[in-house]
Amino acid sequence: MTHVREHDHEKEHRRGRPRSEAAERAILAAVVTLLEDGVPLGALSIERIARTAGVGKATIYRRWQDKEELFVDVLREIEPPEPELPGTSALDDLTVILESLRRRGLAQRSSVLLHNVFAEMKSRPKLWGEYHRMVIEPRRVATLAAIRRGIATGELRDDLGVDLMSDMIVGPMLVRTLHRPDAPLDDDLAGRIIDAVLQGLTPRK
């Protein structure tokens, strides 16, 4: 079952009432269950969520102002944590970052829940903005930081600009995972992308 993380004090204060851990756990688990069963995100009603969780609608509204605020917390629960970077070299860190993207791509292909959520999330600005803040931006920050470390240590060239270098490294994996759903995501793909970027497309002599 999905592990429910602790919420921060600001959110608890905003809700204005003592929080029931068991109730929140049941509500978040109910949404995840419904999504796993293939219920579209847009079709989830507070009534159905409350019924599945075994709570009253008022219990949900005491904790979340609306469905989208609830769904933001669900996103936090289903999103895997960012990988711990080895720190042995910038290239090792970048390989781990790409590998996490590959695994996310595999999970999205095989999970009804993730497919359901991502299919509708972009049409919901609040959800997409929160996902961008929680997942996409931290990942980009980590990638840029690894590239800067690589430049500082001499692993990477210093005349291209970190944004372009990030796009060149991350772009191929995003194409495979997001835009080519039938493309293979082999176990060694992250390393092959890093090697190809470093070596370029010019034939070896």
Side-chain angles (χ1 to χ4, degrees):
M1 177 167 297
T2 302
H3 174 68
V4 179
R5 305 185 187 112
E6 290 293 319
H7 296 290
D8 56 36
H9 294 298
E10 179 182 349
K11 186 164 192 176
E12 192 170 33
H13 177 73
R14 173 166 50 80
R15 289 175 184 164
R17 299 189 182 192
R19 172 168 69 98
S20 166
E21 174 109 15
E24 288 199 5
R25 187 182 300 274
I27 293 163
L28 293 172
V31 177
V32 171
T33 296
L34 290 167
L35 291 172
E36 287 177 335
D37 288 343
V39 179
L41 195 64
L44 286 179
S45 66
I46 293 296
E47 290 82 1
R48 186 168 187 178
I49 294 168
R51 186 168 61 251
T52 303
V55 301
K57 289 192 298 181
T59 302
I60 296 178
Y61 283 120
R62 280 199 298 268
R63 290 158 175 78
W64 295 278
Q65 294 178 2
D66 53 34
K67 283 198 304 182
E68 292 219 326
E69 187 176 282
L70 168 58
F71 293 159
V72 164
D73 276 359
V74 172
L75 283 179
R76 290 191 179 99
E77 300 307 318
I78 66 176
E79 181 62 33
E82 290 298 316
E84 184 175 347
L85 301 182
T88 50
S89 73
L91 295 180
D92 287 345
D93 288 352
L94 289 168
T95 301
V96 169
I97 290 170
L98 286 189
E99 173 61 12
S100 74
L101 291 177
R102 186 187 74 87
R103 290 181 178 273
R104 276 189 172 92
L106 287 171
Q108 188 173 343
R109 289 180 182 183
S110 61
S111 168
V112 173
L113 184 154
L114 291 176
H115 180 77
N116 188 352
V117 170
F118 280 90
E120 297 191 43
M121 189 165 55
K122 287 189 178 181
S123 65
R124 297 172 176 269
K126 183 176 180 179
L127 278 183
W128 178 245
E130 188 66 13
Y131 184 77
H132 191 281
R133 185 186 69 80
M134 287 192 309
V135 179
I136 296 177
E137 187 57 27
R139 184 189 302 153
R140 176 172 171 76
V141 168
T143 302
L144 294 176
I147 291 171
R148 291 189 181 99
R149 289 195 298 274
I151 293 172
T153 59
E155 296 172 79
L156 298 172
R157 57 192 287 187
D158 61 1
D159 60 337
L160 286 180
V162 292
D163 284 328
L164 177 58
M165 294 171 78
S166 175
D167 291 345
M168 293 174 66
I169 293 169
V170 176
M173 188 66 79
L174 293 181
V175 168
R176 285 285 181 103
T177 56
L178 297 179
H179 303 301
R180 294 182 57 202
D182 296 326
L185 295 173
D186 300 326
D187 291 346
D188 63 346
L189 182 58
R192 286 166 51 209
I193 289 174
I194 294 292
D195 289 344
V197 171
L198 292 179
Q199 296 168 10
L201 301 180
T202 302
R204 295 178 179 178
K205 296 181 180 179

